[in-house]
């Protein structure tokens, strides 16, 4: 494998798929280090426009002519296949290549304090919240997060310190290329089964991720993950558990007591660390799931690390957590129309949807209306009944067609299949093939005092934005 040298900035680096949320951030990092950077993507976007404004050459095609002999390194995404014209030209010229995950892993190895946030749900929020803690403590971190974070005006922050904070995605085993000194594991549930096949395979991947930690590395992990000990066997690391409940009679090291919610649904609680009350924690985001996320952040910050032998000061941790007001597309307030409120959320797995809808119930409203766009045919088929069950928490559900993403349509699954199950069980649900139909229905259905959530990992966000515009 090509050995990345961030000091050797005399070479040009080209990114195939530069418009991706992670790839664009890596491209900015290389640019900041003094490298000449170019890239390609199939579509212009706000991300690619930003890269161009920084001086990066972006090609809106992927043709062999984009690859010139002066390029010294090519970075590509997992979505790029060997028949891609650029990929083929790189092979022909013998230019060194790294996939996105390997590149990130090598970048991470340059930092003494490298924190990777993993889990099937909550990674972006937790990475973002942890970033706010480091910023409050003036620790000048480099940050790579899978969403747009207002506090850093994007998805990547380039710091000058020895601190690196990153979101670690399990899909295609990407996180196995990383080199963390601290790892947070939020949860391990059946997800990305189009790649893993079974939950057992997914658990094995998470075990390998945990095994990447060096001796005396820190693992912060949710105490309610099933068969927890099997994930952390035979490893000389420090394990800190967090959670809201005892498991097998053992209380978590970090927990919350006396959780309350204000009129906006924001949580307050008393922090308990190994039985000792450490005072009040105030969140500026909604839901019990964010209480859990904040406990993971506190544990990873307060515990001794490779750089901070006494951890980060608790007052700075509290300040950072309170400063965090959310990430784009995570229960994001979009606006009001005709007296009803529109919120957008990225939830696309039954567990995430339940957390979002439970948080929504703590926000004052009359009816809860959800416009849901499933993500992936395989996920919709796998969790068909789970989707129908959890979406029944809403008063009205409006389905858009499935967002295909990386999959071909198998022809045997549709959003309407979820609608049918809900309707048979007496729940009010509707299905429309186009966004125009969804918008028209919502405009004529929503009433003053209602809370409308556009939900899904695809482009359903456009529905609410169009209604507001």
């Amino acid at each position: 494998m090509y050995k990345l040298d961030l000091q050797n900035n005399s070479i040009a680096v080209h990114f195939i798929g530069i418009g991706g949320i992670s790839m664009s951030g890596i491209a900015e990092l290389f640019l900041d280090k003094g490298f000449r950077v170019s890239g390609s993507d199939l579509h212009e976007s706000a991300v690619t426009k930003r890269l161009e404004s920084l001086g990066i050459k972006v090609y809106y095609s992927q043709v062999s002519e984009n690859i010139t002999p002066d390029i010294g390194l090519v970075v590509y995404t997992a979505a790029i296949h060997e028949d891609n014209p650029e990929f083929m030209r790189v092979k022909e010229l013998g230019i060194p290549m790294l996939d996105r995950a390997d590149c990130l892993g090598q970048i991470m190895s340059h930092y003494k304090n490298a924190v990777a946030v993993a889990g099937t749900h909550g990674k972006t929020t937790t990475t973002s919240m942890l970033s706010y803690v480091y910023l409050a403590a003036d620790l000048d971190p480099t940050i790579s997060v899978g969403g747009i974070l207002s506090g850093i005006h994007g998805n990547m922050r380039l710091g000058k310190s020895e601190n690196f904070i990153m979101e670690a995605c399990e899909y295609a085993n990407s996180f196995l290329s990383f080199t963390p000194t601290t790892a947070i594991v939020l949860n391990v549930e059946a997800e990305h089964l189009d790649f893993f096949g079974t939950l057992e395979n997914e658990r094995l991947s998470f075990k390998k991720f945990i095994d990447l930690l060096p001796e005396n590395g820190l693992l912060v992990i949710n105490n309610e993950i099933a068969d927890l000990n099997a994930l952390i066997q035979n490893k000389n690391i420090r394990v800190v558990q967090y959670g809201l409940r005892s498991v097998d009679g053992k209380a978590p090291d970090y927990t919350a007591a006396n959780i309350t919610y204000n009129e906006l649904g924001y949580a307050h609680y008393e922090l308990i660390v190994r039985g000792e009350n450490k005072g009040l924690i105030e969140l500026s985001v909604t839901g019990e799931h964010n209480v859990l996320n904040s406990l993971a952040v506190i544990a990873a910050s307060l515990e001794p690390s490779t750089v901070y032998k006494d951890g980060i000061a608790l007052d700075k941790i509290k300040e950072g957590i309170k400063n965090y007001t959310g990430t784009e597309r995570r229960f994001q307030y979009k606006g009001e129309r005709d007296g009803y409120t529109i919120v957008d959320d990225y939830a696309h797995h039954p567990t995430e949807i339940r957390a979002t809808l439970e948080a929504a119930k703590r926000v004052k409203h009359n009816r809860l209306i959800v416009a849901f766009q499933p993500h992936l045919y395989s996920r919709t088929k796998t969790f068909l009944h789970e989707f129908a069950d959890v979406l029944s928490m809403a008063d009205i559900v409006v389905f858009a067609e499935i967002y295909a993403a990386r999959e071909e349509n198998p022809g045997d699954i549709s959003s309407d299949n979820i609608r049918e199950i809900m309707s048979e069980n007496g729940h009010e649900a509707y299905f429309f093939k186009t966004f125009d139909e969804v918008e028209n229905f919502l405009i004529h259905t929503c009433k003053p005092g209602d809370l409308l959530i556009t939900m899904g990992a695809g482009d359903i966000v456009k529905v609410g934005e169009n209604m507001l515009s």
Side-chain angles (χ1 to χ4, degrees), residues 288-404:
E288 184 179 275
H289 62 297
N290 277 320
V291 173
L292 276 168
N293 292 338
S294 69
L295 287 171
V297 167
I298 294 168
S301 304
L302 197 56
E303 291 290 316
S305 69
T306 51
V307 174
Y308 305 105
K309 302 303 181 184
D310 298 318
I312 298 172
L314 183 55
D315 62 331
K316 294 299 181 182
I317 296 172
K318 292 181 178 182
E319 178 185 339
I321 287 175
K322 188 173 182 179
N323 286 345
Y324 173 68
T325 57
T327 309
E328 187 172 294
R329 301 217 61 205
R330 271 70 177 180
F331 211 86
Q332 182 185 12
Y333 172 81
K334 302 297 287 189
E336 294 187 12
R337 171 180 172 147
D338 299 333
Y340 58 87
T341 300
I342 300 178
V343 167
D344 181 64
D345 197 274
Y346 192 73
H348 55 280
H349 182 281
T351 299
E352 297 168 349
I353 294 170
R354 184 175 300 281
T356 297
L357 297 185
E358 286 177 348
K361 288 185 179 295
R362 296 191 174 95
V363 178
K364 187 177 179 181
H365 64 272
N366 292 336
R367 297 181 302 173
L368 177 57
I369 302 173
V370 173
F372 181 60
Q373 178 190 41
H375 184 262
L376 299 178
Y377 300 105
S378 58
R379 183 183 287 122
T380 306
K381 186 181 294 187
T382 299
F383 297 111
L384 185 65
H385 291 275
E386 289 85 351
F387 280 128
D389 178 61
V390 71
L391 286 165
S392 298
M393 294 171 65
D395 297 297
I396 301 173
V397 180
V398 183
F399 289 96
E401 193 48 280
I402 296 168
Y403 187 81

